[in-house]
Amino acid sequence: MTTLTIEQVKDKIRAVPNFPKEGIIFRDITTGIKDAVTMKAMIDYLCEQYSEYKIDYIAGIESRGFIFGMPMAYKLNCGFIPIRKPNKLPAQTIKESYDLEYGSDTIEIHADAIEEGANVLVVDDLLATGGTAKAACSLVKKAGGNLIGAAFLIELSDLGGREKLDNCGKVISMLQY
C-alpha cells in the first residue's frame, strides 16, 4: 500500500460549512475513513507516535474515538476501554463531569475497567476546546490508570484545547486546523 503524507490525509477530510450551526466549519472524517489507504495512514500515524510506550489499554471516547481506538488497540496489542455517555454501560461506573459552552456533560467508564498502574492512552477523533478530553484523562487517573497521553486525528488549534491537557501525558494530533 502507498504511504500518504500528512497533507494528503488532510486533503481527504471534507470541510462542511455551517454545520452543526452557522459559522462552524465541520471537519468530516467519514471521507477519510472510507478510503482504505487514508484510514491506514491515519491509524499508522497515531500508533507510531506511541511506539516507544508500553500501552495496556486504549480508552476511546464515544463515539468517534471508538473508530480510531479499536484498530489502534489491535495494532498496539492492547485492550480497549470505552468511555461513554451516561447510562450506556451496564455495570458500576466512575463518572466525570465537565463544562460546555452552555451547561455541562458527563462521561463514564466501568469502575473495574483499569487495573491500578495500567498504562492507558486516551483516543478521540477531534480535540477542540478540550473539555471532554480533560474529563477522559481525569477518569483514567481516578480509575487508577497511568495516563500515557491523548491522541487525536484532528486538532482545532484556535480553540485552545491542548492547553487544558497539560497533565495528560504526551498529547498529539495528526492534522491541525
Side-chain angles (χ1 to χ4, degrees):
M1 253 189 217
T2 305
T3 303
L4 300 178
T5 66
I6 288 176
E7 283 306 312
Q8 288 171 315
V9 171
K10 199 172 196 178
D11 288 344
K12 294 286 188 170
I13 303 298
R14 174 173 41 202
V16 181
N18 302 313
F19 182 83
K21 64 182 184 178
E22 189 71 29
I24 302 291
I25 298 174
F26 185 83
R27 303 299 175 174
D28 181 13
I29 63 167
T30 64
T31 50
I33 61 175
K34 78 175 187 178
D35 178 73
V37 174
T38 304
M39 181 179 54
K40 182 178 184 336
M42 292 170 174
I43 298 302
D44 287 350
Y45 178 89
L46 293 172
C47 288
E48 286 164 8
Q49 304 310 302
Y50 296 92
S51 62
E52 73 274 13
Y53 294 89
K54 163 67 174 100
I55 297 173
D56 298 305
Y57 298 107
I58 299 287
I61 302 172
E62 186 173 347
S63 68
R64 289 174 294 198
F66 297 177
I67 293 170
F68 296 100
M70 284 295 294
M72 287 177 68
Y74 178 80
K75 186 171 176 106
L76 293 171
N77 194 33
C78 63
F80 180 82
I81 298 169
I83 298 176
R84 304 233 32 210
K85 295 173 183 168
N87 304 311
K88 300 286 185 179
L89 295 169
Q92 181 182 359
T93 61
I94 301 171
K95 301 175 190 305
E96 184 74 22
S97 294
Y98 57 98
D99 292 328
L100 299 168
E101 188 177 357
Y102 301 102
S104 65
D105 208 349
T106 301
I107 55 174
E108 48 189 41
I109 62 171
H110 277 132
D112 61 356
I114 301 170
E115 295 82 21
E116 187 73 31
N119 293 329
V120 182
L121 174 63
V122 170
V123 174
D124 205 0
D125 68 321
L126 180 75
L127 174 59
T129 63
T132 307
K134 182 179 179 182
C137 291
S138 293
L139 269 179
V140 167
K141 290 176 182 178
K142 272 186 186 178
N146 176 35
L147 184 62
I148 297 299
F152 306 91
L153 180 69
I154 296 172
E155 179 176 356
L156 303 179
S157 302
D158 291 348
L159 297 179
R162 184 178 288 263
E163 288 74 40
K164 290 183 181 174
L165 306 182
D166 57 349
N167 293 319
C168 292
K170 180 180 179 179
V171 178
I172 65 102
S173 58
M174 182 179 194
L175 311 173
Q176 293 81 38
Y177 294 92

